Amino acid sequence: MAETPVVLHEHQFIKLKSVLARTCVECAARVVLLVDRDGHPIAFHGDIADLDTTSFSSLAAGNVAATTSMAKLIGENVFPAVVHEGERESIFISVIGRSLLVVVFDERSTLSLVKIRTKKASYEVASILEEIARDSETQRQSETSFFSEITDDDIDSLFS
Amino acid sequence: MTFINYASREINCKIVYYGPGLCGKTTNLQHIYDSTAPQAKGKLISLATETDRTLFFDFMPLELGTVRGFKTRFHLYTVPGQVYYDASRKLILKGVDGVVFVADSQEERMDANLESLYNLEENLQSQGYDLLNIPYVLQLNKRDLPNVVPTDELASELLRKGEPVFEATASQGVGVFDTLKAVAKQVLSELRKG
């Protein structure tokens, strides 16, 4: 494997969801998402309606990857936040290590409020993500990994 | 990198289609999209130029089924093939779990294939990966055209490590799913190894 797989357990998922739920209320946001920088959606909270969270996550990750490269071209290491302001809906993306906290908000909130309220959430999310990274590494080294029991037949059955 | 979510019981993997400009990477994805049941796929997103050349990437999520109670979701990406979009190619390789190299079988595209393959090896290295150690499949595309290089000759030029090789005509869907299956199997086998 190129890198250690990230393994998210249920109790960690619940902790992340609870931070997202609180952040969504505090920011008066429409929806708050946590996305891996490779584009995998991790968790979300709020009014999803018909929002395609998978595509949205992939594009958010691509967006941050592009702006990070632009930052490097002008001598910055990274842009810690990316903002897109629309007529009605806006997006605020905060970069937290390997993950992105994405807040979608409308005229019921303001950019400054979202910036302030996501700061505390970012620290909490970062701490949970560190725990997930540690546990993922431990699980990788464990010979009793659940996935080591996958058989050739299991894989073949996907394509039958 | 693979993302395993025990709460939603999902395994998410990233597969990237690489190759020279106009070799048929987007056509591979388009065929997979057109041939897959609606419930197994998400939207096909294309970040393309006005002339439909991939500018940043194409993306589609695909759910293959369940392994031991876990849904397997593959995120399929293409890169822009044109030489001058190298910065975009590097970004898309980040976190990759498996690569498909789509070669253009036409004689006049041999140099472009070699250049793109070299570029893949270089860009993987810059992201900390080694082509020899990641799931990888070679697809020889456009086999329906009259001026193609014989398969043996093409493979001997492009093979890197005894990877699976598939002849394809992506525009007609030939070899597209065989290629996808081969790389997906390798990715899941790697997961088993830990």
Side-chain angles (χ1 to χ4, degrees), chain A residues 154 157-159, chain B residues 9-11 40 62-74 188:
Chain A
D154 287 335
S157 70
L158 281 177
F159 304 102
Chain B
R9 300 194 76 75
E10 281 180 3
I11 303 169
L62 178 70
E63 197 175 305
L64 279 183
T66 305
V67 171
R68 302 249 162 167
F70 279 74
K71 282 186 220 160
T72 54
R73 304 187 75 184
F74 287 84
L188 292 172

Side-chain angles (χ1 to χ4, degrees), chain A residues 1-11 13-14 36-43 50-52 54-59 61-63 65-69 72 98-99 132 139-140 145-160, chain B residues 1-14 42-45 47 56-57 59 61 64-70 72-75 77 87 91 94-97 127-129 133-135 180-182 184-185 187-194:
Chain A
M1 184 61 65
E3 290 176 78
T4 304
V6 178
V7 181
L8 177 63
H9 291 281
E10 191 137 13
H11 66 282
F13 183 72
I14 290 167
D36 180 71
R37 281 184 85 159
D38 297 337
H40 301 306
I42 301 174
D50 56 354
L51 177 65
D52 176 352
T54 307
S55 300
F56 190 86
S57 300
S58 164
L59 292 169
N63 184 190
T67 49
T68 301
S69 293
K72 290 198 166 90
R98 283 206 37 82
S99 300
I132 292 167
Q139 173 145 353
R140 188 183 70 82
S145 162
F146 169 82
F147 293 97
S148 63
E149 294 171 12
I150 294 176
T151 63
D152 285 341
D153 286 345
D154 287 335
I155 296 174
D156 285 337
S157 70
L158 281 177
F159 304 102
S160 58
Chain B
M1 74 182 71
T2 311
F3 197 99
I4 301 159
N5 187 334
Y6 273 80
S8 56
R9 300 194 76 75
E10 281 180 3
I11 303 169
N12 289 283
C13 308
K14 179 175 181 177
K43 283 183 187 149
L44 173 59
I45 304 266
L47 304 184
F56 194 4
F57 59 76
F59 164 75
L64 279 183
T66 305
V67 171
R68 302 249 162 167
F70 279 74
T72 54
R73 304 187 75 184
F74 287 84
H75 291 189
Y77 287 81
L91 294 179
K94 276 190 179 170
V96 68
D97 293 304
Q127 303 288 354
Y129 307 125
N133 294 330
I134 62 166
L180 174 63
K181 283 176 190 176
K185 272 188 181 182
V187 169
L188 292 172
S189 297
E190 283 294 316
L191 188 64
R192 183 171 53 185
K193 287 182 204 163

Side-chain angles (χ1 to χ4, degrees), chain B residues 57-182:
Chain B
F57 59 76
D58 305 304
F59 164 75
M60 74 167 281
L62 178 70
E63 197 175 305
L64 279 183
T66 305
V67 171
R68 302 249 162 167
F70 279 74
K71 282 186 220 160
T72 54
R73 304 187 75 184
F74 287 84
H75 291 189
L76 309 182
Y77 287 81
T78 68
V79 298
Q82 284 69 20
V83 174
Y84 42 85
Y85 291 136
D86 197 41
S88 300
R89 276 193 293 277
K90 274 186 194 163
L91 294 179
I92 294 153
L93 282 175
K94 276 190 179 170
V96 68
D97 293 304
V99 176
V100 173
F101 186 84
V102 182
D104 189 328
S105 296
Q106 297 175 94
E107 275 175 17
E108 63 270 27
R109 297 300 286 161
M110 195 52 151
D111 286 347
N113 288 327
L114 289 167
E115 188 182 1
S116 179
L117 186 53
Y118 177 71
N119 177 255
L120 168 63
E121 289 178 304
E122 205 173 52
N123 282 344
L124 282 172
Q125 270 174 14
S126 75
Q127 303 288 354
Y129 307 125
D130 183 347
L131 181 64
L132 300 179
N133 294 330
I134 62 166
Y136 177 67
V137 170
L138 173 63
Q139 182 188 81
L140 310 178
N141 194 23
K142 305 196 181 185
R143 298 307 300 173
D144 58 325
L145 297 183
N147 55 337
V148 294
V149 178
T151 309
D152 292 352
E153 198 180 315
L154 199 54
S156 73
E157 289 280 352
L158 299 175
L159 267 176
R160 281 297 179 270
K161 55 173 183 176
E163 64 271 22
V165 182
F166 294 93
E167 292 186 56
T169 306
S171 59
Q172 296 166 23
V174 177
V176 171
F177 276 97
D178 292 336
T179 306
L180 174 63
K181 283 176 190 176

